[in-house]
Each structure stands twice: as C-alpha cells, then as structure tokens.
Amino acid sequence: MSMTPAEAAGKDLLAKAEKEKRTKPAMDTFKHYVLGPLVAFILFVALWQVVPALLGMPHYIFPKPTDVVSAAVSDGALLWEAVQITVLESVIGFLLSAVIGIVVSITLASSKIIERSIYPYAIILQTLPVVAVAPIIVIWFGAGFNSIVVVSFLIGFFPVISNTLMGLNSVDKEKDDLFSLYNASKWQKMWKLRLPSAMPFIMAGLKVSCTLSIVGAIVGEYVAGVGGGEGGLGYAITVSAIQVNTAFIFACAIAGAMLGITFYLMISLLSNKILGSWHESAMKK
C-alpha cells in the first residue's frame, strides 16, 4: 500500500528530527568542552610564534614553537628514551604513594591516639624541602633510579594520606549510628562503611598524587639522577641547559606536562568507573 504525500512528508520530518537528536549531543559536547580550549590553544601558539619573531629574540633565549618541534624531532630518540624512564619512575613512585598512603591512613583512622601521634610527622615530612633531604636519600639508596623513585614517592605521598584520612573521618553520623545499632565491629565499620564512603576523597587524593609523581621524578632526576649514562626528563633538561639547547628544554617540559595530563585523565577515568554509578561528582548529568 503506497503512502500519501502527507504521510511521506511526515515520515521524512520524523527521520530528520531523529537524526538531529542523535547529532546534537555530539555538537553540544564539542562546543562546551572542546571548542573553547582548542581556540585558546591556537591563539596561544600563534602568539608564541609571533612575539619572539617581532622582538627579535634568539632561539637560545626564547625558542618559537617551530624551534621546539624541530628540536623534538631531531632529538626524538633521546626524548623518547627520557620519557620512558620518567614514566617508569613516576608509575612506581605513584603506586608506592597510593598503596602506602591508603594503608597508613586506615591505620591512623582506626585509632585517634595513633592519628594524633603519627599524623604530625606526615605533615613535617611534606614540609621538608626535597633538595634538603636529597643528599640523605642518595646516601641511603644510591644515586640513580632508586633515589628518584623515593623522591617521587615522598612528593606524592601526602595528598593521598591527607585526603584519605579526611574521607575516613567524614562518615555520615546516621549511617555510623545504624552500624552501631547492629553491633558492627570497628573493622566492619572500616571496611563496609568508612572506606566506601571515603572513595571520593581517595580518588581526589590520587588525582593530585599522580601529577605530583611526575614532578617528583623530574625533581629527583635533578638532585639524584645524574649518576650513570642514562636519565629521564630531568637529566635531559640538565644536560640541555649546560649545552644551552633551550628548544629541547621546552620540548622536555612539554613532554612532562603531557605525561601529567595523561596520568590525570587515566585516574579520572578510573574514578568515574568506581564512582559513576552512585556518587554525584561522577554521575553523568
């Protein structure tokens, strides 16, 4: 049975509306989350390219983006090797920070006496300048990989313990009273109430720690990673500074920033997977 012209027109309108409905979310996402940063990035790179040329600044003082790209391409093998070493150091330092920080936080939260006795020393450890304790770290662990991992761990440790402890101590009182009403033990409360409730705080701490682990690895390579013939981004920056290879220093710095962004996005993805079904901070609007 053939359709009337009115029915055919109505079907076409419905198909068009359905197509627009499918494409609109993608366009909204692009406009709200991609377009603004993309325009800002293009303007920033354009200004960076033009300003040094207008001021007549030599490339060894303030290199243009084209100089940075050229240096990254010409010394790509060296840059890639440095990135790999820094990634390995950062991942190990971050994992140590996450595991030890969460375990220490659970221990502190289990007893107010333990928390009041030990937590101040965690704060003191955070306030110590890395450069001041680096010689001791080198003496204890030797120059190179082990010392760099320790520095990365020390810098990324405090955000995990601080956020996790805050989350463990911020349990809803009504839920805590309900567990007490059912005669739950202290450790039952810890594993079934306090730790799940602290998950948003833990993930927030991990997001900070994962980026700081990159900073810690690069700083560790400055102060403890110059031994041996190979090194990460910090070592490459040190050598490039001696050679006045400013463009490659910029390339190493940008590589470190991209590593930090990548680490953060990976932890954010993990956070959304864990919290997405029940916590407001990660639920899709």
Side-chain angles (χ1 to χ4, degrees):
M1 181 177 179
S2 61
M3 292 187 297
T4 64
E7 290 176 338
K11 186 176 181 180
D12 290 340
L13 287 174
L14 288 174
K16 186 177 180 181
E18 187 67 25
K19 184 178 179 180
E20 291 179 352
K21 186 177 180 182
R22 288 196 301 266
T23 58
K24 188 176 180 181
M27 291 299 297
D28 289 342
T29 301
F30 177 80
K31 287 192 293 185
H32 291 130
Y33 297 101
V34 178
L35 183 60
L38 182 61
V39 171
F41 175 77
I42 293 173
L43 290 175
F44 173 76
V45 173
L47 285 173
W48 183 7
Q49 180 70 27
V50 171
V51 170
L54 291 177
L55 298 178
M57 302 179 71
H59 66 86
Y60 56 85
I61 297 295
F62 190 34
K64 300 185 290 295
T66 50
D67 299 325
V68 176
V69 173
S70 177
V73 172
S74 60
D75 293 324
L78 178 61
L79 180 61
W80 175 242
E81 183 180 3
V83 167
Q84 288 179 301
I85 294 172
T86 300
V87 166
L88 180 60
E89 295 161 349
S90 303
V91 168
I92 296 176
F94 169 66
L95 292 177
L96 289 174
S97 300
V99 174
I100 296 177
I102 292 173
V103 170
V104 171
S105 299
I106 292 173
T107 304
L108 297 181
S110 65
S111 171
K112 284 295 182 184
I113 296 176
I114 297 177
E115 180 181 345
R116 295 190 188 104
S117 302
I118 297 178
Y119 189 62
Y121 294 100
I123 299 175
I124 293 173
L125 183 65
Q126 176 66 17
T127 58
L128 287 174
V130 174
V131 178
V133 299
I136 301 175
I137 295 175
V138 173
I139 292 172
W140 287 352
F141 298 95
F145 185 83
N146 292 338
S147 295
I148 296 168
V149 170
V150 172
V151 173
S152 179
F153 158 73
L154 289 177
I155 292 181
F157 171 72
F158 187 76
V160 178
I161 188 174
S162 176
N163 282 271
T164 303
L165 189 60
M166 182 183 297
L168 292 173
N169 290 332
S170 302
V171 177
D172 184 81
K173 190 176 184 304
E174 293 182 357
K175 294 179 181 178
D176 186 70
D177 291 341
L178 180 62
F179 270 69
S180 299
L181 183 64
Y182 283 95
N183 296 320
S185 66
K186 180 174 68 175
W187 288 108
Q188 284 178 323
K189 286 184 179 182
M190 178 64 73
W191 297 115
K192 297 183 179 181
L193 175 62
R194 300 179 70 181
L195 199 56
S197 299
M199 268 300 165
F201 294 86
I202 294 174
M203 300 313 301
L206 293 179
K207 288 178 183 178
V208 177
S209 178
C210 72
T211 54
L212 289 180
S213 66
I214 300 285
V215 177
I218 294 176
V219 171
E221 288 162 356
Y222 273 119
V223 298
V226 294
E230 297 180 352
L233 289 173
Y235 181 75
I237 291 172
T238 303
V239 174
S240 299
I242 296 172
Q243 299 172 347
V244 199
N245 189 357
T246 313
F248 191 68
I249 294 176
F250 272 74
C252 291
I254 293 171
M258 292 176 65
L259 285 180
I261 294 171
T262 303
F263 274 34
Y264 182 86
L265 292 176
M266 291 173 64
I267 299 300
S268 296
L269 181 62
L270 176 64
S271 175
N272 290 335
K273 291 291 184 182
I274 294 175
L275 306 177
S277 62
W278 62 276
H279 196 265
E280 295 86 348
S281 63
M283 290 177 67
K284 293 183 180 180
K285 299 289 192 283

